[in-house]
Amino acid sequence: MEQMKPVMKLACHILPIVPVVIATVVVLGCSSGPTAVKVPPIEPEAVTDAVISQYDKNGDGQLALEELADCPALLDAMKNNIDKDNDKRLSKEELTERFSMWVKGGVGASFLACRVTKGGRPVEGAHVRLIPESFFGDVIQPAEGTTDKRGSALLAMDSANLPADLQNLRAVQQGLYRVEITHPSVDIPAKFNTQTTLGVEVSFESGRNLVEFKL
């Protein structure tokens, strides 16, 4: 799968939606152009405190791998260079730096695709939901999509959370999400939905253009 470099549209243009790829989009708007997609109002220090409060079981002020097991999205973030000193744990400084990066990046929403397979074969008709971690409150919006015959889906938050002139934009916000995958006729174990062990970090700086879920 060919990756696309992050793209910034500065004037009055929006990048066309392309299946199974992600491109970072910042819509700045102009007098005759679209309304800006606002960056979620994350408060990095407050979110970090909430993360530590929720997952720091031994009270040492940082998150070890065994504690991160309760937050699959943070485990996913460990693959994306959030652990700057490579000590296999996350400090308050590392968490705050990550959340601050999202805010300073100025990206309101971006395209994100996923692919679902089972036994190596694509699963058509799987419903994929990205559920923001609770420590964000209601700042980050959930997203969802249903896979096509290739097992692929372009995920999107509810268009009601987008400006009126961007209602057709299929995009997600940066954040940490639990993932739930269901299907109307295919048996999918609870560890992929009601008792999910799946999580994903959506971080536009990572350059990841496709998230794979193997059932």
Side-chain angles (χ1 to χ4, degrees):
M1 176 66 58
E2 183 180 356
Q3 291 190 345
M4 293 181 61
K5 294 181 178 180
V7 176
M8 183 177 290
K9 293 294 183 181
L10 296 180
C12 308
H13 305 288
I14 302 175
L15 190 69
I17 295 176
V18 180
V20 200
V21 295
I22 177 173
T24 299
V25 176
V26 182
V27 183
L28 298 184
C30 62
S31 59
S32 61
T35 307
V37 179
K38 295 181 179 179
V39 177
I42 297 171
E43 297 183 5
E45 293 81 6
V47 174
T48 294
D49 288 343
V51 174
I52 295 295
S53 176
Q54 185 169 342
Y55 291 111
D56 179 22
K57 304 303 182 184
N58 63 11
D60 66 352
Q62 54 188 344
L63 303 179
L65 286 177
E66 55 269 24
E67 293 168 322
L68 291 172
D70 291 330
C71 185
L74 280 174
L75 277 179
D76 185 60
M78 292 289 279
K79 306 171 187 176
N80 296 328
N81 199 34
I82 189 174
D83 180 20
K84 296 297 185 181
D85 56 10
N86 296 310
D87 66 348
K88 305 301 182 184
R89 62 185 66 236
L90 294 180
S91 65
K92 287 186 176 181
E93 292 74 18
E94 288 168 331
L95 288 165
T96 301
E97 179 180 350
R98 186 58 133 233
F99 301 142
S100 297
M101 179 185 73
W102 297 348
V103 175
K104 293 175 182 177
V107 180
S110 182
F111 308 129
L112 178 65
C114 71
R115 178 179 294 130
V116 179
T117 59
K118 186 175 184 180
R121 297 184 177 183
V123 179
E124 181 179 3
H127 187 67
V128 181
R129 295 185 66 221
L130 301 188
I131 304 169
E133 281 288 342
S134 60
F135 45 71
F136 288 116
D138 59 359
V139 171
I140 304 297
Q141 301 302 316
E144 60 187 330
T146 301
T147 58
D148 59 20
K149 62 182 179 181
R150 297 170 298 179
S152 300
L154 192 58
L155 301 170
M157 61 182 173
D158 191 332
S159 61
N161 296 305
L162 293 169
D165 55 350
L166 294 177
Q167 292 295 295
N168 292 326
L169 183 68
R170 295 188 60 80
V172 301
Q173 296 171 313
Q174 294 190 103
L176 298 168
Y177 297 85
R178 290 183 179 270
V179 181
E180 293 185 357
I181 302 176
T182 56
H183 198 284
S185 58
V186 176
D187 182 30
I188 298 179
K191 66 180 180 179
F192 300 123
N193 40 73
T194 57
Q195 300 175 32
T196 188
T197 58
L198 297 177
V200 64
E201 180 198 28
V202 179
S203 177
F204 306 142
E205 296 295 325
S206 72
R208 180 166 56 174
N209 61 3
L210 177 67
V211 182
E212 301 262 7
F213 300 119
K214 299 178 181 180
L215 306 181

